[in-house]
């Protein structure tokens, strides 16, 4: 870290900061500018609370130099992490497409949708059994019953299952049924949950919080990685801004930023990031064009009657169109989407 | 809800929307404007997913009319909810002041701080035993050991204890030691946790998420209220905006907005909402001037060595000054701060 | 507009709102719900200040129904507006590419860059003669001298010139040299300037303010359109959010939103919307994949020595790669980029 | 500035950065950390575009050290700037209160309001003759006719006039009638306007843009100061955030931040920063409690019929209450509001 002194800091104040840096086992490096003195702390400053220096007289600001995450960084691991899901090597040139309803509502809805998304080209199946809903009066999901239906859909279609886990004590249960554990946006900083998922052996799909920076997303991934689970897929799903014409603002910039800063695969969720079904295909194409490694898309056979997120769900035929559009985009930039049947 | 049709919607499309409204057991009320038709749905639309109408041909937008929360609203309960804490009737004219360190670090730090904040006029003691930290490499709190120290500090000083609970399965443990259960900003939408706290009998201090709207805060409170716990204190602790000169942006407007929309007491946390100790007193005064029912302030006997949030912690003597300033402000608007010793 | 009454509004309060609506020459339409009464105002409410109703006793909220803009809306003009620039019919299937330096620095820099972007496939030339700089100590542009250099570059290369006008009294001057008048993001709500550009006969490139909603962008376009100039290109150039890993956040959602709500062409500026040259190609591809009608890209022959925006400028060879990538993306979705020489 | 190298930067890349720093006439200071090398540039780096270094191989990030403004900083001028307005020494312990309608609508409205705010205790009169309106269909102000009415109101009441100037070529006209030149939020970065106001001799009230940082506000003030006008009052009027329950979010933190970073007086506009009249008094009290040097408040004798901003205007009797509440708050923190007649 760098400690920027005030323009009128005294020599004694500078000396005290140096002493404090050395107290933490770090080296101090003085740089006297024309207006102010800057003191660099040499060594691994991650365990030190940098803001403590703000209490020392003469200190103006403290700037971090090292990134706060390590295992998640491309500097630590330059080559892409590849996570195989149903034969797709996510993180390679192969684009991964996950689709399904927001919630598992009942057996017939789930089976029908599973067959439909498989037919349209999806490589994995999504569906929520435990639902984080902002209103206590909304449908809260089927719980374990939903997980059983998902497993049945997997057995019938061969599509692996991506489903959300909402609390640390649910991990053991969800692991029995799911192929990929999803951590929802509202839980991105639920640290006990990240810890528990980090100790499981299943790949994790970590959604960015709507209020989280790219750096915080990578810190959340670091929690999972540091507890032993190295299979983390990151998911951009839109951030909250002042704009209200869409539910969220897709942070498309985050795709190239993440691809440059981390080795983990990056997935885009165009359904949540727009919140309106008629913008989903456009943003799905944009995500792949920007360099995303995959998509997770909400599909419902009858969106007008969905128990959750109906407004952003695609009908299967619209989803089939999207898959073919995305394949054309992927091929235009030298990647592949493993799907048959597009013209 | 109101369904706004497109300007070129056909009569058949309007008829279909009416049919769908009636299918949900609601009445439909047609209003034909000069440019477009608007259809009102009469009845309690809360259980209906309003976005489903976006899939119907001819529909442009859907606008909610009712507020999505009920038990938390002042319309439902016009008179203030009063929550007594250590003799202070929070929600009345009496201003409540909670203070203490961010984390319980060890017995002597906690005991020293507890005596110091009592001496300075605090009515309750804060301190974290379970800490949500963005870095897996930071101090994570003492856990139950920390709770025991807090209980000892209460016994010694008589100050009730406010402490955070981070997961539903921790509630039973924390309830044994705490007087008020704090739900942190990152857990404001941890719905299993809200449910569990809703089933306990302890008052809850619910912190607003840094990217949560006032309405979402009230929906989170509704979760707790609807599970049986009617003693909820709301806490504004700053929101995330584009401004970077402070850690968060204190949403001071939220104070009068909340006081007009809900009957629950509203507390301000000027430490997190600014993130820098030398702005804390100024914002504490502003909060009380704006109408807040209380404050929760980070105090540390040696902030330069705190294991967390040192940069925003006040020394006890600064905190004592703050209490007296706040008392003067409170009295200027006809409220009281029960504290002795100010000049 | 719809006026939502409080749950406890009296009959007299409702009657007074109706009287007021009728006073403005509008019709009133009553809709009594189970919880509250809603009153619709029938007729063109645009000239009425809707917030005035907030002063009437019993009124809770006022919701607009009509969009505040008219000439800019697709409802008013369903077919795309086509603006021809150097043989490219912007707004049709043909993608328009504008490129050049941030500022005109001197004759040789501008001529060299103009030839380079033409060679790489650009259809028009950008370059600023008047520069809005946040610091009074930064390079402020060459003024009319810069305009003359731009005109010379046009004569030499055949590329039409897009350049910024910063004040109403500059319009007459800039019109003499420019082919397209650019209104910068900081001036999107400089209403005297919009008025003056609206009275000129040159096409206008209107950049979205970094703090402006899509609706406000369309209102700014409405100013230009309503003063007689119907040739307006809209430009998304990134908005300000809490994320700091890029200079701005590209609002990629705005592309399909604008394409659905207006008939005007939509251009993306991936240089300002990312602020870092190594993200520009990725976001340029995303913009075209999402449905943008064109791009405006900063190119500098020696970005490391640029007098402004060097950090986001591409070298000509990187720009040539970008053009070919964008052509491949455009063709994948059935559009064309008129450029030769890509493999 | 500090240039942070990548972890894998070569010695040659470091040497090239040093060469470039020296090319700009600055000294280079090397600091080799355990993970990366940091190079400090010693000297006044303000004229150098720091982002240019991003194009050099091996460079990861560039961090500014000096603040970009100088004349506006408290480091440059430690003692408060005092600006006398109608006998109130703004910037001292005396709180300044400016009030009046949003727009000058006609002679009788303006005269009536002027007498009313004087009676209630205001020290200066606000009122807009030139109005920046988001809709081309809204009332655009009376222009010079409005300025004449304002001058008449001043002559009648003795209250000096604060009014907005919207374009550089209007300055000469507005200066003839106004005592304080207001620069509106949408024009905070209208640099030709800042330049023109900087060359006038009238005090300027500079409103913060709704999406401008505190640093950008101070840079805008620097424009005015650097062109010779040293009498600048800064005005916080709310920023744009994701929260929608109020029109803007009052950035109350900006009050103590500005008071610590600049010597200029800081005024709060609680009318625009909330957008709803029933929150205005609460936020006015908060602003003074936080340390603001004054208030600017919208008052209208008949807000329900105002031609602009009626929803946030106070009636004179509410304003009179506000003044007395604010006086009580000011006195509680040792400041004064020069007003008679409070109980």
């Amino acid at each position: 870290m760098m400690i920027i002194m005030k323009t009128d800091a005294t020599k004694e104040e500078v000396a005290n900061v140096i002493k404090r840096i050395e107290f933490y086992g770090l080296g101090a490096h003085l740089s006297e500018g024309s207006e102010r003195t800057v003191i660099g702390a040499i060594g691994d400053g991650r365990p030190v609370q940098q803001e403590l220096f703000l209490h020392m007289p003469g200190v103006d600001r403290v700037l971090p130099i090292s990134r706060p995450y390590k295992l998640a960084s491309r500097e630590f691991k330059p080559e892409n992490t590849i996570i195989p899901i149903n034969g797709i090597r996510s993180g390679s040139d192969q684009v991964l497409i996950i689709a399904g309803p927001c919630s598992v509502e009942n057996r017939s809805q789930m089976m029908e949708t599973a067959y439909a998304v498989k037919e349209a080209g999806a490589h994995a199946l999504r569906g929520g059994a435990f639902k984080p809903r902002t209103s206590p009066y909304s449908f809260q999901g089927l719980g374990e019953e939903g997980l059983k239906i998902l497993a049945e859909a997997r057995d019938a279609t061969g599509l692996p299952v991506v489903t959300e886990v909402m609390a640390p004590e649910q991990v053991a249960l969800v692991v029995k049924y799911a192929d990929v554990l999803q951590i929802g946006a509202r839980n991105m900083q639920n640290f006990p949950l990240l810890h528990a998922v980090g100790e499981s052996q299943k790949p994790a799909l970590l959604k960015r919080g709507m209020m989280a920076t790219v750096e915080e997303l990578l810190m959340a991934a670091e929690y999972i990685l540091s507890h032993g689970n190295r299979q983390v897929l990151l998911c951009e799903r839109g951030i909250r801004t002042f704009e209200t014409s869409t539910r969220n603002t897709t942070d498309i910039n985050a795709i190239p930023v993440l691809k440059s800063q981390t080795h983990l695969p990056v997935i885009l969720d165009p359904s949540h990031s727009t919140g309106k079904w008629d913008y989903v295909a456009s943003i799905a194409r944009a995500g792949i064009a920007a360099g995303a490694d995959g998509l997770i898309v909400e599909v419902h056979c009858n969106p007008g009657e969905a128990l959750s997120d109906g407004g952003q769900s695609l009908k299967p035929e619209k989803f089939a169109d999207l898959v073919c559009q995305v394949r054309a985009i992927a091929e235009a930039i030298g990647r592949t989407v493993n799907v048959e049947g597009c013209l």
Side-chain angles (χ1 to χ4, degrees), chain A:
Chain A
M1 88 198 94
M2 290 278 162
I3 290 139
I4 321 294
M5 303 300 291
K6 292 185 176 165
T7 52
D8 59 357
T10 65
K11 289 200 174 186
E12 196 192 341
E13 288 166 351
V14 170
N16 282 336
V17 170
I18 292 175
K19 247 185 266 171
R20 175 64 60 88
I21 288 172
E22 291 171 351
F23 167 81
Y24 288 121
L26 303 173
H29 184 96
L30 202 70
S31 169
E32 294 192 29
S34 52
E35 290 187 9
R36 33 179 114 225
T37 296
V38 175
I39 310 168
I42 314 291
D44 185 0
R46 285 191 188 87
V48 179
Q49 262 210 86
Q50 310 194 350
E51 60 179 38
L52 295 183
F53 287 91
L54 295 177
H55 273 280
M56 301 193 71
V59 171
D60 186 43
R61 279 168 295 154
V62 182
L63 299 176
I65 299 299
S66 298
R67 298 224 161 74
Y69 51 88
K70 185 168 183 174
L71 304 177
S73 75
R74 204 177 264 288
E75 290 172 342
F76 175 76
K77 178 171 181 293
E79 71 283 1
N80 282 356
T81 287
I82 307 289
I83 302 177
I85 293 175
N86 191 19
I88 306 300
R89 303 181 69 244
S90 181
S92 76
D93 284 346
Q94 302 171 351
V95 170
L96 174 71
I97 298 183
I98 307 167
C102 176
S103 310
V104 184
E105 298 172 12
N106 57 57
R107 189 180 169 281
S108 66
Q109 167 252 11
M110 192 64 225
M111 297 303 283
E112 186 186 357
T113 309
Y115 282 114
V117 300
K118 176 170 186 169
E119 174 77 15
H123 309 119
L125 188 62
R126 62 155 290 156
F130 296 100
K131 297 303 306 172
R133 303 301 301 277
T134 47
S135 168
Y137 310 124
S138 298
F139 175 62
Q140 308 277 320
L142 296 181
E144 186 168 5
E145 178 59 23
L147 294 174
K148 287 180 180 166
I149 294 172
L150 282 166
E152 188 182 348
R154 173 183 49 211
D155 294 344
T157 60
L159 296 181
V161 162
V162 181
T163 196
E164 179 161 355
V165 54
M166 280 174 67
E169 73 271 26
Q170 285 173 358
V171 173
L173 176 68
V174 178
V175 155
K176 288 202 296 177
Y177 298 97
D179 299 284
V180 177
L181 301 176
Q182 178 177 315
I183 295 169
R186 287 181 180 75
N187 281 316
M188 193 199 86
Q189 294 191 321
N190 182 332
F191 301 113
L193 178 60
L194 296 174
H195 185 137
V197 169
E199 289 178 343
S200 86
Q201 300 306 312
K202 293 276 169 139
L205 180 77
L206 175 64
K207 298 191 103 174
R208 179 180 180 184
M210 77 173 103
M211 79 298 177
T213 62
V214 164
E215 187 172 289
E216 288 168 340
L217 173 61
L218 290 170
M219 286 305 289
E222 187 86 2
Y223 255 92
I224 303 177
L225 296 168
S226 70
H227 285 98
N229 187 345
R230 300 297 167 104
Q231 296 188 86
V232 179
L233 300 105
L234 304 173
C235 181
E236 163 65 28
R237 47 76 73 205
I239 57 172
R240 180 166 274 184
T241 69
F242 63 81
E243 175 59 57
T244 55
S245 66
T246 48
R247 179 179 290 190
N248 292 292
T249 296
T250 309
D251 183 4
I252 193 82
N253 289 1
I255 309 280
V257 172
L258 284 167
K259 292 304 294 178
S260 78
Q261 295 189 356
T262 182
H263 49 86
L264 299 170
V266 177
I267 307 295
L268 176 67
D269 175 346
S271 306
H272 284 87
S273 78
T274 60
K276 229 180 146 196
W277 67 268
D278 45 355
Y279 303 142
V280 170
S282 165
I283 300 307
R285 295 192 308 261
I288 298 304
D293 297 304
L295 297 170
I296 180 165
V297 181
E298 288 194 355
V299 178
H300 196 285
C301 290
N302 197 344
E305 295 178 3
L307 294 180
S308 57
D309 279 356
Q312 67 196 33
S313 297
L314 291 181
K315 293 181 188 170
E317 55 272 24
K318 294 275 185 194
F319 172 64
D321 287 351
L322 175 154
V323 171
C324 292
Q325 292 172 26
V326 160
R327 194 179 77 159
I329 295 283
E331 290 176 354
I333 57 168
R335 303 186 76 168
T336 59
V337 178
N338 184 10
V339 59
E340 288 166 16
C342 300
L343 295 181

